[in-house]
């Protein structure tokens, strides 16, 4: 009884301000993320790289385009390789493709990393997304995800000489050799997918979906984020130096 | 108007240079932030468009949530 008899004078102003700010924050969050709170977690030993939108090369794309800029991804890959706390890298792709040079640069960076890497293709991993998808130690593709395999194209001013065609052909060979070296698809099969007619509307190439990508040997397995993280943890465990049984048991 | 062409859209309709000025990329510890000028009450303010980082923890940090206001020092 005696507790409730003496209500404390409330410092009304600061509280109200805080309440307003908090409310604004929640509104912002609902607007941007569609939810009010984001989950919290501990320090992660797995880092995630997202390759989203168009892969931007030397030409800067307009700001309204969603782009993956190689000058931002490459330093991140270097940091991931150098940081001893990072034990594995998960690469998530949902890309329409883009610049060949930039795409191959990212693929080479990912494939030459000493730490375990796993890629997951969600939605799409088209054109130059294909070498990035196969660059990792193990690759997954979502069942509904697609990958378009097609010849190298060029827009803009082109000098109409046979050498231009030869240059494009060589560029294509680099893509083909990278993909065949880093996946179990044969050069013959990949070229067949790349140059087949009648699959894409008025275009040369093939659109492979989930299971087809696995059966052609391009991707290792159909799966999602759960399997990808599980596989990455397995690869991390495999890569760790084996300790003596005696030391482990306490 | 429907254009039937293999030419990239931006090579037919050049992009206004001012579009590029609106956005800004800054470095933060552990990654980058893509900011867009907050056209509203004050002109100095920026809003976060996208966070570029490999650390999944940074995406949970309220400070770097897209849509959050950001002031440059």
């Amino acid at each position: 009884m005696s507790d409730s008899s003496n209500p404390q004078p409330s410092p009304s102003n600061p509280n109200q301000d805080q309440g307003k700010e908090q409310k604004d924050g929640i509104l912002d969050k609902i607007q941007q993320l569609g939810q009010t709170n984001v989950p919290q977690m501990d320090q992660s030993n797995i880092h995630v790289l997202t390759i989203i939108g168009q892969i931007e090369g030397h030409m800067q794309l307009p700001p309204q385009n969603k782009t993956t800029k190689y000058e931002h991804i490459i330093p991140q890959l270097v940091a991931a390789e150098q940081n001893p706390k990072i034990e594995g890298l998960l690469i998530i792709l949902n890309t329409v493709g883009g610049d060949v040079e930039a795409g191959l640069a990212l693929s080479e960076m990912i494939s030459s990393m000493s730490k375990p890497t796993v890629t997951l293709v969600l939605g799409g991993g088209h054109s130059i997304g294909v070498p990035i998808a196969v660059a990792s130690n193990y690759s997954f593709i979502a069942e509904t995800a697609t990958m378009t395999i097609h010849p190298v194209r060029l827009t803009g001013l082109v000098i109409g000489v046979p050498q231009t065609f030869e240059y494009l052909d060589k560029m294509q060979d680099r893509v083909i050799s990278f993909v065949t070296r880093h996946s179990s698809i044969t050069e013959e099969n990949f070229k067949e997918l790349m140059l087949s007619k009648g699959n894409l509307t008025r275009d040369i190439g093939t659109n492979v979906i989930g299971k087809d990508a696995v059966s052609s040997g391009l991707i290792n397995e159909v799966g999602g984020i759960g399997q990808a993280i599980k596989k990455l943890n397995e690869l991390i465990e495999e890569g760790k130096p084996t300790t003596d049984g005696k030391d482990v048991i306490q | 108007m429907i254009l039937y062409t293999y030419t990239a859209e931006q090579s037919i309709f050049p992009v206004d240079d001012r579009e590029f000025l609106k956005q800004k990329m800054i470095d933060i510890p552990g990654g980058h932030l893509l900011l867009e000028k907050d056209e509203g009450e004050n002109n100095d303010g920026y809003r976060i468009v996208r966070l570029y980082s490999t650390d999944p923890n940074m995406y949970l940090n309220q400070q770097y949530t897209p849509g959050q206001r950001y002031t440059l020092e």
Side-chain angles (χ1 to χ4, degrees):
Chain A
M1 293 285 169
S2 58
D3 291 3
S4 58
S5 61
N6 209 1
Q8 290 216 326
S10 59
S12 58
N13 269 350
N15 259 355
Q16 262 176 5
D17 275 3
Q18 210 180 16
K20 188 179 171 282
E21 212 162 80
Q22 218 171 17
K23 216 173 169 185
D24 277 355
I26 288 170
L27 267 179
D28 276 348
K29 256 188 269 171
I30 291 172
Q31 258 177 15
Q32 297 298 330
L33 303 170
Q35 56 188 17
T36 52
N37 64 330
V38 280
Q40 301 299 314
M41 66 172 189
D42 300 330
Q43 193 74 34
S44 171
N45 64 338
I46 293 172
H47 270 218
V48 184
L49 194 69
T50 46
I51 313 267
I52 283 168
Q54 207 163 335
I55 295 160
E56 191 184 89
H58 296 298
M59 287 273 282
Q60 199 186 4
L61 290 164
Q64 64 263 30
N65 293 36
K66 197 162 272 181
T67 55
T68 295
K69 295 170 197 289
Y70 70 100
E71 72 263 41
H72 295 135
I73 300 285
I74 288 171
Q76 286 178 346
L77 285 167
V78 174
E81 175 69 34
Q82 259 190 329
N83 191 340
K85 279 183 187 156
I86 303 171
E87 291 175 319
L89 192 67
L90 176 69
I91 297 127
I92 294 178
L93 285 125
N94 192 359
T95 178
V96 292
D99 191 278
V100 174
E101 306 285 334
L104 278 180
L106 295 181
S107 310
E108 289 287 1
M109 287 290 287
I110 292 164
S111 72
S112 58
M113 275 184 72
S114 66
K115 288 170 185 177
T117 51
V118 168
T119 44
L120 171 61
V121 181
L122 296 168
H126 305 287
S127 12
I128 203 69
V130 175
I132 300 177
V134 301
S136 63
N137 300 117
Y138 204 84
S139 53
F140 284 93
I141 185 165
E143 213 167 323
T144 53
T146 69
M147 297 172 94
T148 310
I149 300 152
H150 66 85
V152 172
R153 295 177 189 139
L154 193 67
T155 48
L157 190 68
V158 178
I159 304 166
V161 290
Q163 284 84 344
T164 307
F165 176 75
E166 271 165 37
Y167 175 67
L168 277 176
D169 208 38
K170 271 184 189 157
M171 197 184 264
Q172 197 160 293
D173 282 344
R174 282 153 65 202
V175 175
I176 294 168
S177 81
F178 186 91
V179 172
T180 49
R181 266 188 291 128
H182 291 89
S183 69
S184 48
I185 197 167
T186 57
E187 189 178 333
E188 203 183 334
N189 279 348
F190 190 66
K191 270 189 171 168
E192 199 184 300
L193 290 175
M194 189 182 247
L195 303 170
S196 73
K197 280 178 265 182
N199 296 326
L200 301 180
T201 325
R202 297 177 142 273
D203 206 348
I204 296 168
T206 316
N207 195 12
V208 286
I209 302 170
K211 279 181 189 150
D212 302 338
V214 177
S215 60
S216 67
L218 205 57
I219 297 287
N220 293 108
E221 210 177 306
V222 173
I225 184 76
Q227 285 104 313
I229 297 267
K230 192 170 162 239
K231 184 73 196 177
L232 189 52
N233 280 326
E234 275 172 30
L235 290 173
I236 291 168
E237 284 306 314
E238 274 172 32
K240 275 183 182 160
T242 46
T243 46
D244 258 353
K246 268 187 259 170
D247 292 333
V248 179
I249 300 160
Q250 284 184 340
Chain B
M1 180 178 65
I2 296 169
L3 287 179
Y4 185 75
T5 173
Y6 53 83
T7 317
E9 191 210 357
Q10 57 263 26
S11 53
I12 303 169
F13 303 109
V15 184
D16 191 355
D17 283 345
R18 275 172 297 180
E19 288 291 314
F20 288 99
L21 295 175
K22 268 192 213 159
Q23 291 197 342
K24 192 176 189 146
M25 186 74 76
I26 59 153
D27 293 334
I28 48 164
H32 315 276
L33 276 180
L34 180 66
L35 303 175
E36 193 171 57
K37 206 151 212 170
D38 193 6
E39 280 165 352
E41 55 263 52
N42 57 336
N43 285 333
D44 313 330
Y46 283 88
R47 252 174 207 280
I48 296 168
V49 176
R50 191 177 157 189
L51 167 67
Y52 293 80
S53 171
T54 55
D55 187 358
N57 268 310
M58 283 183 78
Y59 289 87
L60 305 180
N61 190 342
Q62 306 259 325
Q63 217 188 324
Y64 301 133
T65 310
Q68 206 70 255
R69 285 194 191 87
Y70 195 92
T71 37
L72 297 175
E73 287 97 59

